[in-house]
Amino acid sequence: MSLKIWLDGNLIDKENAKISVYDHGLLYGDGVFEGIRAYAGRIFKPHEHLRRLYDSAKAIRLVIPLSPEQFLAAIQQTVKANDFTDCYIRAVVTRGVGYLGLNPAKCSNPSVFIIADTIEMYPREHYEKGMALITASVIRNHPNALSPRIKSLNYLNNILAKIEAADAGVPEAIMLNHDGNVSECTADNIFIVRDGVVYTPTTHDGILEGVTRGTILELCRKLALPFAEKTLQRHDLYTADECFITGTGAEVVPVTKLDGRPIARGEVGQITRRLMEAFHKHVREG
Ligand code: PMP
């Protein structure tokens, strides 16, 4: 059976789900998106994801032609139409069909599509033994150019870093910001643990404020683990006791090596393990 895609109000077969070559989402990366998961038949943190989607749209002066309630109903309809209980959902809003010039005012209607599918971001063994990262030479977007807080369709910055990771034979890369501080990975937020305290870069360090990142901070509070949002330098990563990355697709992945150097003893840390366990319980049981 073919996957059903929600496209501008209709559920249609994947093979027929097409958008115009004149869509500015394609011509200019002019649009916004979200990656969301459903666990055990429930959309995980729908309001947090929709809030970020609507904030991203607002930041690029794009009006989403649905209310957040209608958007959530469309997401639920898509998951149901494909009989998923656990899946990854991609919600996309493009500027719509325009002419061959930048002017978004010439685009008549934004286009909305929703895909529900399965995803495996990284092989299982990375979750058990830990992952190696490199620091990319490409830096994260300057907040005054294109704010990393916007989840836009323009991911080239991160894609260039991802290619550097692949060239180095590792699955993911850390990106520094314009000040040389740690921001995040190409599609994941980063955390370290030092002396029992969990640290992650602040909103102002050039990150997308991940929903999974927020969940981890919430779990730290629940588990009485000390934590702080703090500007981090690469030195902090090299000298950390533990390290892990988070994202909707990736979930929580331990990191045991950075730029060829083992983090601590190069093993998955105890606090990382605790948070991974708590995360998987939380997404299913609340
Ligand atoms: N940073 C970037 C650049 C991302 O694209 C993502 C989403 N995959 C994240 C961080 C993690 O955000 P979330 O936990 O909301 O998926």
Side-chain angles (χ1 to χ4, degrees), residues 9-10 16 41 60 86 94 96 103-104 114 120-121 125 144 158 174 186 188-189 198 221 227 232 253 255 266:
N10 302 303
N16 301 321
I60 68 159
D86 290 69
T94 76
N103 191 356
I114 303 164
E120 196 193 70
M121 207 65 105
E125 71 168 301
N144 291 334
N158 307 44
I174 289 170
T186 70
D188 306 299
N189 291 113
V198 178
R221 202 169 292 128
F227 67 92
L232 299 175
V253 196
V255 175

Side-chain angles (χ1 to χ4, degrees), residues 5-104:
I5 313 289
W6 195 99
L7 176 58
D8 294 326
N10 302 303
L11 276 169
I12 53 181
D13 287 341
K14 179 179 169 182
E15 295 70 36
N16 301 321
K18 297 187 173 136
I19 61 161
S20 167
V21 293
Y22 280 80
D23 193 305
H24 280 207
L26 175 62
L27 287 176
Y28 299 114
D30 186 353
V32 293
F33 76 102
E34 271 302 314
I36 309 168
R37 270 190 191 264
Y39 293 101
R42 276 179 303 149
I43 313 286
F44 184 64
K45 302 235 166 153
H47 303 295
E48 286 82 347
H49 282 288
L50 284 170
R51 189 183 164 94
R52 188 171 65 188
L53 182 71
Y54 280 75
D55 282 351
S56 292
K58 193 172 187 184
I60 68 159
R61 313 276 301 269
L62 172 65
V63 179
I64 298 176
L66 300 170
S67 68
E69 294 74 26
Q70 289 170 323
F71 211 118
L72 179 56
I75 291 171
Q76 282 161 338
Q77 190 191 359
T78 313
V79 172
K80 206 159 166 223
N82 291 289
D83 273 334
F84 280 123
T85 51
D86 290 69
C87 65
Y88 176 84
I89 300 146
R90 176 61 55 89
V92 182
V93 187
T94 76
R95 188 74 68 177
V97 172
Y99 79 137
L100 294 178
L102 290 180
N103 191 356

Side-chain angles (χ1 to χ4, degrees), residues 235-268:
H235 176 82
D236 297 308
L237 271 48
Y238 289 149
T239 57
D241 299 327
E242 303 183 25
C243 181
F244 58 93
I245 61 173
T246 66
T248 296
E251 301 178 303
V252 187
V253 196
V255 175
T256 47
K257 204 183 221 190
L258 172 59
D259 296 328
R261 310 167 181 217
I263 291 175
R265 286 202 306 274
E267 290 163 8
V268 179

Side-chain angles (χ1 to χ4, degrees), residues 160-175:
L160 291 176
K162 190 84 174 174
I163 291 170
E164 284 187 45
D167 286 346
V170 300
E172 183 51 303
I174 289 170
M175 302 181 78

Side-chain angles (χ1 to χ4, degrees), residues 58 127 178-179 214 221 230 257:
K58 193 172 187 184
Y127 293 83
H178 58 283
D179 288 326
R221 202 169 292 128
K230 188 177 161 229
K257 204 183 221 190

Side-chain angles (χ1 to χ4, degrees), residues 52 140 151 155 158 184 186-189 208 210-212 247-248:
R52 188 171 65 188
R140 195 73 177 92
K151 198 162 168 65
Y155 256 57
N158 307 44
E184 58 181 344
T186 70
D188 306 299
N189 291 113
L208 182 80
V211 173
T212 320
T248 296

